[in-house]
Amino acid sequence: EWVGWTFPWVALLGAYSGRPAMARNVLLDYADRYVTESTVHYQARKGVVMILYFTPSGNFGNTIEAGFGFIAAIQELAVQSNGGTIRLFEKTPPYWANLCVYQMRTEGAFLVSAQRAMYHTRFVHILSERGGQLRLRTSFEEGPVHVVINGEEKRVPVQNGLVVLNTAEGDEIVIYAGNDRPEITVHPLPGN
């Protein structure tokens, strides 16, 4: 007896609690059954008439919070930042082998851009807006992990994908793995 708006919020809870495959499936179900081609959202399944959700004037009752929940769930599946640690691509659905994020604001006033390819992080670009400790955990490709702060490479120990360093306001940090620095640009990935 769920209605449209419940699906994105369930997906958000699934993303937050470490059930990424379930969250993805619920989002796909919502998009398929409760969202029109014009992106207007139905409270009831497409083709099902539910008088309860019509307004007195006869218009279909829409809500906007479901769209916000949908976006929040996708963001939570890509980047989580709570408890002082930014977890990048850690709880993404198994189908998301390739993923990009661009300037996602995280706890601690960091803007995070990154690219994931074949389940490994290719690079992370971080802008520290106010300074402070950065704790970032992600799955890097094989090879040495490089940390470049304001254009200068620094030796920073990386253990189990966790990078910890102190930043100053305005610091620009690039983190990548391997011997060759990848092109640090975020661009749309082909859909599947």
Side-chain angles (χ1 to χ4, degrees), residues 79-170:
V79 179
Q80 291 188 346
S81 69
N82 50 51
T85 300
I86 300 167
R87 288 172 297 286
L88 179 62
F89 306 140
E90 204 171 79
K91 295 190 178 182
T92 58
Y95 301 101
W96 292 5
N98 304 310
L99 184 62
C100 290
V101 297
Y102 180 70
Q103 292 192 349
M104 287 186 69
R105 187 173 307 280
T106 65
E107 184 179 85
F110 297 105
L111 293 178
V112 177
S113 300
Q115 185 178 57
R116 179 182 195 201
M118 294 311 296
Y119 301 103
H120 294 286
T121 303
R122 289 195 64 237
F123 72 83
V124 182
H125 177 271
I126 298 173
L127 178 61
S128 176
E129 291 189 303
R130 71 167 191 222
Q133 187 180 65
L134 170 69
R135 294 177 52 86
L136 171 78
R137 187 169 55 223
T138 191
S139 174
F140 290 107
E141 292 181 286
E142 294 297 319
V145 175
H146 302 270
V147 178
V148 180
I149 303 172
N150 300 324
E152 183 180 334
E153 186 155 351
K154 304 283 185 178
R155 293 188 58 87
V156 175
V158 179
Q159 295 181 333
N160 298 323
L162 181 65
V163 176
V164 180
L165 57 102
N166 291 316
T167 68
E169 181 179 335

Side-chain angles (χ1 to χ4, degrees), residues 2 22 27 30 36 41-42 44 46 49 65 71 77 80 82 85 95 102 115 123 143:
W2 290 9
M22 183 274 291
L27 289 175
Y30 168 74
T36 69
H41 136 109
Y42 285 123
K46 292 179 192 173
V49 177
E65 77 275 5
I71 293 166
L77 288 167
Q80 291 188 346
N82 50 51
T85 300
Y95 301 101
Y102 180 70
Q115 185 178 57
F123 72 83

